[in-house]
Amino acid sequence: MSGRFEAVTTPLHGLLVLTRRKMADERGFLSRLFCEDDLAAFGWQGRVAQLNETGTTFKGTVRGMHFQCPPHAEIKLVTCTRGRILDVAVDIREDSPTFLQHFAVELSEDNACSLLIPQGFAHGFQALTDEVRMIYAHSHPHTAAAESGLNPQDPALGIDWPLRVINLSPRDAAHPWLSPDYRGVAA
């Protein structure tokens, strides 16, 4: 355990669930969301190039499965600060022994967990409650020409969304299902 984070490994190499240690007293609590020194031990490389907050109004909403293609690939640290989500990462690294396998974990304002997603993964989530808020730290700035994604309802991914999928953006719904010759992205 580092000073503020404890890592739980997943079956997908490099993908980690981080539990944040809360310091609390009668006034409330403090929970560190990011620390370059601590997170370097878990695979964070470089700077935080971008920090984003998202709000999702309705439970059942799915956002994803997004990634940026090399050389603009990014590491993400995803944290839910309000409500609950099912956070999902899919391994799309070519030649990975876990290629196209996914891992899902519930993140919530109560469980103090974050998902550290290395390069070579597609990411998405489903809101399990109304009024979800999330914070994303990105190691690389958004590059529109490098953005891509997988269709979150593609049966080839095998993602079992717990709620009926609603509010899928036109962009996310337009991602085609994977063809048999899909090879992923270079690691």
Side-chain angles (χ1 to χ4, degrees), residues 56-85:
T56 302
T57 306
F58 300 111
K59 71 180 177 182
T61 299
V62 169
R63 293 183 184 220
M65 305 295 296
H66 305 144
F67 62 95
Q68 287 195 168
C69 297
H72 305 285
E74 61 188 344
I75 303 168
K76 291 182 187 176
L77 181 66
V78 180
T79 303
C80 181
T81 59
R82 182 174 175 190
R84 294 175 27 243
I85 64 165

Side-chain angles (χ1 to χ4, degrees), residues 50-152:
Q50 216 167 284
L51 190 61
N52 296 317
E53 178 185 27
T54 64
T56 302
T57 306
F58 300 111
K59 71 180 177 182
T61 299
V62 169
R63 293 183 184 220
M65 305 295 296
H66 305 144
F67 62 95
Q68 287 195 168
C69 297
H72 305 285
E74 61 188 344
I75 303 168
K76 291 182 187 176
L77 181 66
V78 180
T79 303
C80 181
T81 59
R82 182 174 175 190
R84 294 175 27 243
I85 64 165
L86 182 71
D87 209 33
V88 180
V90 176
D91 185 348
I92 56 171
R93 299 171 291 188
E94 67 180 358
D95 302 322
S96 170
T98 56
F99 181 65
L100 292 185
Q101 292 181 26
H102 73 275
F103 177 80
V105 63
E106 184 175 306
L107 304 180
S108 73
E109 64 185 297
D110 296 323
N111 71 10
C113 290
S114 298
L115 193 61
L116 182 62
I117 305 168
Q119 295 177 3
F121 281 77
H123 170 258
F125 72 90
Q126 183 173 50
L128 301 178
T129 60
D130 291 335
E131 302 302 334
V132 164
R133 292 286 176 132
M134 296 170 58
I135 295 177
Y136 293 75
H138 301 261
S139 66
H140 195 283
H142 177 258
T143 305
E147 68 181 29
S148 192
L150 307 177
N151 190 307

Side-chain angles (χ1 to χ4, degrees), residues 127-183:
L128 301 178
T129 60
D130 291 335
E131 302 302 334
V132 164
R133 292 286 176 132
M134 296 170 58
I135 295 177
Y136 293 75
H138 301 261
S139 66
H140 195 283
H142 177 258
T143 305
E147 68 181 29
S148 192
L150 307 177
N151 190 307
Q153 295 184 299
D154 187 338
L157 301 178
I159 300 170
D160 184 19
W161 300 108
L163 303 174
R164 182 177 65 84
V165 173
I166 65 167
N167 294 334
L168 199 57
S169 74
R171 183 185 103 190
D172 292 346
H175 289 300
W177 287 3
L178 294 175
S179 66
D181 61 343
Y182 180 71
R183 296 293 173 247

